[in-house]
Amino acid sequence: MRLITHTDFDGVACAVLISEVEEVDEVVFLDPATIQQKKIPITSNDIISDLPFHPKCGIWLDHHASSRQKEGVKFEGAWEPKKSAARVVYDYYDSEYLQKYSEFVDWADKIDSGEITPDEAINPKGWRLLSETLESSAPKKEDDEYMRRVSSWITKGEKVET
C-alpha cells in the first residue's frame, strides 16, 4: 500500500505508526491542498493520514474538524477530534506493536495541538526540536526524502533525547 500523509511532525508520526502495522511500500508527504485540489490520483490501495478525506482511498485517518465527513459517508479508518492524527492512528490500530511509541504520540499530541510551554518554544529539544526541522508546506523532493529518513530512524529505534 501507499501511505499519503502530511508534511509535518504529525504526518511523520503517522508514517511511523502506520508502517509498523500495515504493509507500506511507499510513503508520500503532501500538503492538504494537493489532496483537496485532486492533484494526485488516489486509489483503494492508498492510506491517507493527517490530510483531507478522499472517497477513493482504502483507509483514512484524521483529526481535523474541517475534514469531518457528513453522517452516512462510509469509509474504512477513523476520524476523531483528537489532539493529533497520530493519536487517531494509535487508538485505531490499538496494537501492542505501537506501545513503544506511547511517549512519541504524546509529543505529537502536544506539538500538533499547540500545547507546548513557553520554555519548549524558546528552548526546543528532543521531539520538539525535531518537529522544527520538518516542513509543513508543500515539500521539495529533498524534504520528502528527509522526512522518509526521519521516519526510518524513529522506526529503527534511534532515540531522540527528550
Side-chain angles (χ1 to χ4, degrees):
M1 292 191 93
R2 178 174 69 164
L3 170 60
I4 303 168
T5 192
H6 196 203
T7 59
D8 64 2
F9 186 80
D10 195 21
V12 168
C14 290
V16 167
L17 299 172
I18 294 168
S19 295
E20 285 282 340
V21 293
E22 294 283 358
E23 299 267 340
V24 174
D25 302 316
E26 177 186 10
V27 179
V28 177
F29 293 92
L30 296 177
D31 62 302
T34 301
I35 297 290
Q36 292 166 329
Q37 296 169 4
K38 297 180 170 60
K39 290 182 176 179
I40 182 172
I42 304 295
T43 73
S44 61
N45 286 323
D46 292 325
I47 300 170
I48 297 177
S49 66
D50 198 28
L51 289 168
F53 177 74
H54 191 288
K56 291 185 179 179
C57 72
I59 300 172
W60 176 61
L61 301 146
D62 194 30
H63 71 119
H64 297 99
S66 62
S67 295
R68 184 178 188 168
Q69 295 305 292
K70 292 179 182 169
E71 192 76 29
V73 173
K74 296 192 186 280
F75 62 90
E76 182 164 343
W79 177 91
E80 295 182 56
K82 298 198 173 187
K83 292 181 180 183
S84 69
R87 178 64 60 193
V88 173
V89 169
Y90 187 85
D91 292 347
Y92 175 75
Y93 286 104
D94 190 27
S95 170
E96 65 183 54
Y97 297 111
L98 300 182
Q99 291 174 359
K100 65 185 176 184
Y101 297 109
S102 178
E103 180 186 343
F104 177 53
V105 174
D106 289 345
W107 274 98
D109 286 345
K110 192 172 186 171
I111 291 165
D112 208 60
S113 66
E115 294 181 354
I116 59 171
T117 66
D119 184 57
E120 290 163 339
I122 295 167
N123 302 302
K125 58 186 175 207
W127 296 118
R128 172 72 181 96
L129 181 59
L130 178 63
S131 75
E132 287 293 313
T133 71
L134 301 170
E135 282 294 319
S136 61
S137 60
K140 298 181 279 296
K141 287 295 180 197
E142 57 271 13
D143 293 338
D144 209 42
E145 181 56 34
Y146 172 67
M147 287 181 269
R148 277 194 213 90
R149 276 190 305 208
V150 168
S151 299
S152 178
W153 295 332
I154 295 167
T155 302
K156 290 176 183 172
E158 297 183 16
K159 182 153 175 61
V160 175
E161 293 300 319
T162 58

